[in-house]
Amino acid sequence: MNVWMLFIIAVAAAAGIIIKYIWDIPTEDTFPHKILYRCVYLYGVISYTAARLMGYVNGRCLASNYYTFLMSFAPNPRESPAGSDVAIDATEFDGVKVRQYRNRRFMDQGLRPAFVFIHGGGYVVGSPALYDGVLTKICRVLGFYVAAIHYPLAPEGKFPKAFDECLKACSWFLRNASEFSVDQDRVVISGDSAGGQIAASVVQALCKSPSIPKPKAQVLMYPCLQFLDLRTPSYQRTRWLHGEQPGILNHITLSIFLSFYLFGREDSRFIKAVSANTHVSDEVRRSEQLKRLDHDLIPKEFKGPTYRPPNININNNKMNTEDHQGNALWSECKDLLLDYRLSPLMGDLEGLPNTYVITCGVDILRDDGVLYCQHLEKAGVKVTHKHYVESFHGIIAFPRTIIPSSTVMRKDLFTFLRQEV
């Protein structure tokens, strides 16, 4: 047997192992895009594992290596092709770097609406250029001026630096919108995932300031809106499916990213407590303050057979009584975790603008969006909630041709922007 034959056998064996691994990744029985979801999950496992291994070699932290690994596979930021309707370039809003998209057809046709976007990535990864597809289309099809904010990532950009920079940029832009041929009364603040959290917090801050024009609307795409309860039905379902394996966004990866964002480091005690949902004191869990997170507010259709009430914990696919050990840690972290700049679900919701919320069927953050919509409506805010059962976290950045629900999601968003802005 020659060397080439051995090589072919080895490659075939490796491919077989990978295919078997992908095939064995659990998914929702009714989810139609199982192969795509499994590939995304595998990519998440590889990214996390690679970042860990890189740390042993270069001595850098997980967040830095995670950024390096993921962004090495990201497409290079594209420039505006000759003859394109959309001009893409860089600018600054009060010293904050911004990637802007301008429709050449509308530059001399009066004031236009604007779409300001804050990207996701768990506070540790991501960039505006990753969203060129959807942002360019908002500019080209709808004629919006689009601006995507570069904000400092963790671990260097510790809380509340990302919030502060985004608030600074949005405040300046609302005051100076006319310089960009934008109507200051038709500005949308938007974000996805962690960027959705920052966007929601920024909008709350803007609405508290009498000297700044208010945004016309906010668009929150599968946002994380609180870090006080990691046992909502959507968290439970993901844990039941995948256990403790970091792949897609789950309670483990979220806890790690949050640790880097809050402390600039991987705090093992904090990560262990948050991922086990034991970081909040017993007294606070029973308080009026956390009634906004009451699971009874979540519709029954979102509570499948794997759901258990809050006093029950899912651990390694087994049901156990939850053991709260969070009193000491809570005293250290409560001011951070209850701060509206981190947990907008706990903020003042009255007087907020028209709100459009996107949630996905396969996503630990689904219930954050569901609860936010309910409390916004109670506060008298106009809310549109679009739930996509056949979608998963992060899908807005995917090419729309990969998964049909991404196309539907974009069409619905464009309809909202046309009609409401």
Side-chain angles (χ1 to χ4, degrees):
M1 187 177 295
N2 60 35
V3 174
W4 279 110
M5 183 62 67
L6 288 173
F7 176 75
I8 291 171
I9 291 174
V11 170
I17 293 171
I18 293 173
I19 292 171
K20 177 65 167 59
Y21 181 86
I22 292 175
W23 194 259
D24 287 342
I25 293 172
T27 62
E28 297 284 1
D29 293 337
T30 58
F31 190 66
H33 312 291
K34 290 182 171 60
I35 298 300
L36 175 61
Y37 175 80
R38 286 166 174 156
C39 290
V40 171
Y41 183 91
L42 178 61
Y43 181 66
V45 172
I46 292 172
S47 301
Y48 178 85
T49 304
R52 280 285 181 213
L53 294 176
M54 288 166 66
Y56 294 115
V57 177
N58 60 22
R60 297 170 63 196
C61 70
L62 176 70
S64 297
N65 284 325
Y66 197 71
Y67 178 89
T68 300
F69 183 85
L70 287 178
M71 297 308 289
S72 65
F73 292 96
N76 292 325
R78 63 183 183 183
E79 297 180 355
S80 306
S84 171
D85 287 339
V86 178
I88 305 174
D89 56 11
T91 187
E92 290 187 357
F93 293 171
D94 197 16
V96 179
K97 293 182 179 179
V98 169
R99 185 170 174 84
Q100 66 176 351
Y101 307 72
R102 294 171 295 158
N103 193 319
R104 293 188 174 98
R105 291 179 298 155
F106 296 101
M107 284 184 179
D108 300 318
Q109 296 187 22
L111 300 180
R112 304 298 303 166
F115 188 88
V116 179
F117 183 75
I118 304 171
H119 70 81
Y123 310 108
V124 302
V125 72
S127 75
L130 297 178
Y131 299 82
D132 272 353
V134 64
L135 297 181
T136 299
K137 192 165 186 180
I138 290 173
C139 179
R140 179 171 54 82
V141 174
L142 302 180
F144 276 58
Y145 170 83
V146 177
I149 300 173
H150 289 273
Y151 60 87
L153 299 173
E156 291 78 17
K158 287 168 51 178
F159 175 82
K161 195 169 184 180
F163 167 84
D164 289 341
E165 290 291 285
C166 290
L167 177 60
K168 179 183 177 183
C170 290
S171 300
W172 184 89
F173 178 69
L174 283 163
R175 290 193 185 102
N176 298 275
S178 61
E179 295 182 16
F180 300 85
S181 298
V182 166
D183 183 347
Q184 68 177 17
D185 295 321
R186 299 178 67 196
V187 175
V188 179
I189 308 294
S190 177
D192 81 313
S193 191
Q197 178 271 299
I198 297 171
S201 298
V202 164
V203 168
Q204 288 186 24
L206 292 171
C207 289
K208 292 177 182 177
S209 176
S211 63
I212 301 174
K214 303 299 182 288
K216 175 73 171 180
Q218 59 177 333
V219 172
L220 310 177
M221 308 172 189
Y222 36 85
C224 53
L225 298 166
Q226 57 85 27
F227 298 96
L228 298 158
D229 182 8
L230 275 64
R231 285 296 186 278
T232 61
S234 52
Y235 272 100
Q236 289 191 27
R237 183 62 183 174
T238 302
R239 180 180 284 233
W240 185 85
L241 280 171
H242 299 298
E244 307 296 315
Q245 174 66 58
I248 60 167
L249 180 66
N250 68 357
H251 60 290
I252 299 290
T253 49
L254 181 139
S255 302
I256 294 171
F257 294 161
L258 183 61
S259 178
F260 278 110
Y261 185 44
L262 294 182
F263 312 118
R265 67 182 189 279
E266 203 168 352
D267 187 313
S268 59
R269 183 176 70 122
F270 177 83
I271 293 168
K272 182 178 179 180
V274 173
S275 61
N277 208 40
T278 60
H279 60 302
V280 178
S281 71
D282 297 328
E283 181 182 358
V284 172
R285 287 189 186 278
R286 293 190 294 266
S287 69
E288 288 288 324
Q289 201 168 21
L290 260 63
K291 282 203 171 178
R292 287 192 179 183
L293 306 177
D294 190 344
H295 293 192
D296 290 340
L297 298 173
I298 298 171
K300 288 184 179 179
E301 59 265 29
F302 289 154
K303 299 175 183 176
T306 58
Y307 171 71
R308 294 296 182 271
N311 64 329
I312 300 294
N313 182 16
I314 298 179
N315 187 20
N316 294 327
N317 296 344
K318 296 179 181 179
M319 306 300 176
N320 299 307
T321 301
E322 191 167 3
D323 179 24
H324 291 300
Q325 301 292 334
N327 293 341
L329 184 62
W330 175 249
S331 64
E332 300 172 23
C333 300
K334 63 180 179 180
D335 291 339
L336 291 171
L337 297 176
L338 290 172
D339 193 322
Y340 82 93
R341 296 173 298 173
L342 182 70
S343 297
L345 186 50
M346 308 307 293
D348 181 3
L349 308 185
E350 292 188 2
L352 295 183
N354 191 356
T355 300
Y356 186 89
V357 177
I358 293 172
T359 56
C360 297
V362 183
D363 184 9
I364 61 171
L365 303 178
R366 179 201 65 193
D367 296 338
D368 284 19
V370 171
L371 290 168
Y372 202 55
C373 288
Q374 295 210 15
H375 292 298
L376 285 172
E377 289 178 340
K378 289 180 182 178
V381 177
K382 184 178 180 181
V383 177
T384 301
H385 176 207
K386 291 288 186 177
H387 180 64
Y388 300 90
V389 177
E390 298 180 357
S391 292
F392 50 85
H393 189 83
I395 195 170
I396 200 69
F398 280 60
R400 60 185 176 85
T401 54
I402 289 181
I403 184 167
S405 55
S406 176
T407 301
V408 176
M409 185 183 294
R410 294 186 185 198
K411 286 182 178 178
D412 290 343
L413 172 60
F414 290 5
T415 298
F416 171 82
L417 293 175
R418 282 193 187 99
Q419 296 177 350
E420 301 294 334
V421 182

